[in-house]
């Protein structure tokens, strides 16, 4: 296709549609997040019955994401392949090195390639956008190795563009908080286990019960470090709330709970984030 330089969201959506129209029957690697949901919705508009959404369901999948993904695909009227998968069976992934995501994405794209062949789909696309290219993303190497297309990158979509376009399309994901896999809550070098992932999922669900949307429960062995949006910090200042969280986290298996006063920060364990911070985060105990 011709060189593309449109700056308006409408222009980018138009280019995205033209890009998708050239890809033929397509499998979308779908997570239920903001980016892949937007890509899938536009792909359905362009490709109609010639698009399939694939999501792997594993211990690292946030439970609410799997539920949302199924609901959205039903609304869009697109075929949804929910494939059971266990990344923990991959030794390199379970060991949690700094390139853990490479092993995760490599296994995902192997599944995508297999299913695309089974359904006679000629292209595989994911929801990677321009902002992802600025972050530490070892999974992008796996995408290159498997020939995965990044239509949102080709159409010059950044995260805010995607949210704006999603709102214009009436997608419920336009204001959905980001929700990477649960393994991203464990510091690199600490092994990933099913127990840790379950504890993280339960802890985050406990916090959501207080109306907190943007959050992370970081797993530090016996301690949980809570990151929430700055504007929500006051929600955890009530003694009754503190008692409920403390009791709930202890029941989950954490002996102590720390509230990070710097608030929620995406990719806090990424090498780029660590090198740029140059300091330890401020914390306070809610025990």
């Amino acid at each position: 296709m011709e060189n593309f330089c449109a700056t308006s969201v409408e222009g980018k959506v138009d280019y995205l549609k033209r890009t998708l129209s050239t890809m033929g029957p397509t499998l979308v690697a779908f997570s239920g997040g903001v980016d892949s949901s937007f890509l899938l919705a536009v792909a359905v508009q362009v490709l109609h019955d010639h698009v399939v959404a694939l999501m792997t369901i594993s211990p690292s999948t946030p439970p609410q994401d799997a539920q949302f993904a199924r609901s959205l695909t039903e609304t869009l009227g697109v075929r949804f392949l929910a494939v059971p998968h266990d990344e923990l069976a991959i030794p390199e992934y379970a060991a949690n090195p700094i390139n853990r995501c490479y092993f995760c994405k490599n296994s995902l794209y192997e599944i995508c390639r297999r299913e695309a062949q089974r359904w006679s789909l000629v292209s595989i696309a994911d929801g990677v956008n321009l902002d992802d290219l600025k972050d530490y993303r070892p999974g992008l190497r796996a995408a290159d190795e498997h020939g995965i297309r990044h239509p949102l990158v080709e159409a010059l979509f950044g995260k805010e563009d995607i949210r704006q376009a999603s709102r214009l399309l009436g997608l419920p994901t336009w204001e959905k908080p980001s929700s990477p896999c649960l393994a991203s809550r464990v510091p690199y070098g600490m092994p990933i286990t099913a127990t840790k992932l379950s504890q993280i999922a339960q802890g985050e669900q406990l916090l959501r019960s207080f109306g907190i949307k943007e959050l992370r429960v970081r797993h530090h062995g016996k301690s949980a470090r809570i990151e929430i949006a700055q504007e929500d910090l006051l929600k955890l200042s009530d003694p009754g709330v503190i008692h409920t969280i403390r009791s709930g986290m202890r029941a989950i298996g954490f002996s102590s709970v720390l509230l990070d006063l710097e608030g929620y920060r995406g990719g806090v364990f990424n090498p780029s984030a660590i090198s740029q911070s140059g300091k330890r985060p401020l914390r306070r105990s809610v025990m």
Side-chain angles (χ1 to χ4, degrees), residues 58-63 85-88 93-94 96 100 180-186 190-205 217 219 252 254:
S58 75
S60 67
T61 306
H85 184 44
D86 184 9
E87 296 99 340
L88 296 175
Y93 174 91
N96 197 21
R100 179 197 68 241
C181 78
L182 296 174
S184 65
R185 280 70 151 168
V186 182
M190 295 181 64
I192 307 293
T193 67
T195 297
K196 289 179 181 177
L197 297 177
S198 176
Q199 289 174 321
I200 292 167
Q202 293 178 68
E204 293 190 351
Q205 184 56 44
V217 170
H219 200 298
I252 291 168
F254 293 110

Side-chain angles (χ1 to χ4, degrees), residues 3-4 59 61 69 80 103 118 152 175 226 265 279:
N3 291 333
F4 173 60
T61 306
F80 178 50
F103 302 104
R118 187 164 75 91
L152 298 180
E175 59 179 350
I226 297 172
R265 304 177 308 287
K279 59 182 180 180

Side-chain angles (χ1 to χ4, degrees), residues 55-71:
M55 181 179 192
T56 54
I57 309 297
S58 75
S60 67
T61 306
Q64 71 277 4
D65 285 4
Q67 297 167 7
F68 177 84
R70 187 174 297 278
S71 174

Side-chain angles (χ1 to χ4, degrees), residues 84-224:
H85 184 44
D86 184 9
E87 296 99 340
L88 296 175
I90 305 170
E92 297 88 349
Y93 174 91
N96 197 21
I98 61 171
N99 64 337
R100 179 197 68 241
C101 288
Y102 168 81
F103 302 104
C104 174
K105 294 298 186 182
N106 185 60
S107 65
L108 165 64
Y109 296 138
E110 286 178 350
I111 293 170
C112 288
R113 184 63 62 191
R114 181 192 72 206
E115 293 299 318
Q117 184 175 11
R118 187 164 75 91
W119 290 93
S120 300
L121 305 170
V122 299
S123 299
I124 301 173
D126 65 14
V128 170
N129 65 75
L130 287 179
D131 290 333
D132 294 326
L133 304 184
K134 304 172 186 176
D135 199 359
Y136 176 68
R137 302 277 178 165
L140 290 174
R141 181 164 69 90
D144 289 342
E145 293 171 354
H146 287 273
I148 308 302
R149 292 281 295 271
H150 308 311
L152 298 180
V153 172
E154 295 178 42
L156 302 184
F157 273 95
K159 195 73 170 186
E160 288 308 310
D161 296 324
I162 294 169
R163 289 191 182 278
Q164 183 179 344
S166 296
R167 187 175 188 179
L168 292 173
L169 290 179
L171 293 175
T173 49
W174 77 269
E175 59 179 350
K176 187 176 186 285
S178 61
S179 183
C181 78
L182 296 174
S184 65
R185 280 70 151 168
V186 182
Y188 291 121
M190 295 181 64
I192 307 293
T193 67
T195 297
K196 289 179 181 177
L197 297 177
S198 176
Q199 289 174 321
I200 292 167
Q202 293 178 68
E204 293 190 351
Q205 184 56 44
L206 173 62
L207 292 171
R208 287 192 189 90
S209 70
F210 294 101
I212 299 170
K213 296 181 180 180
E214 197 86 64
L215 65 96
R216 296 289 186 271
V217 170
R218 307 292 186 185
H219 200 298
H220 295 270
K222 291 294 184 180
S223 296

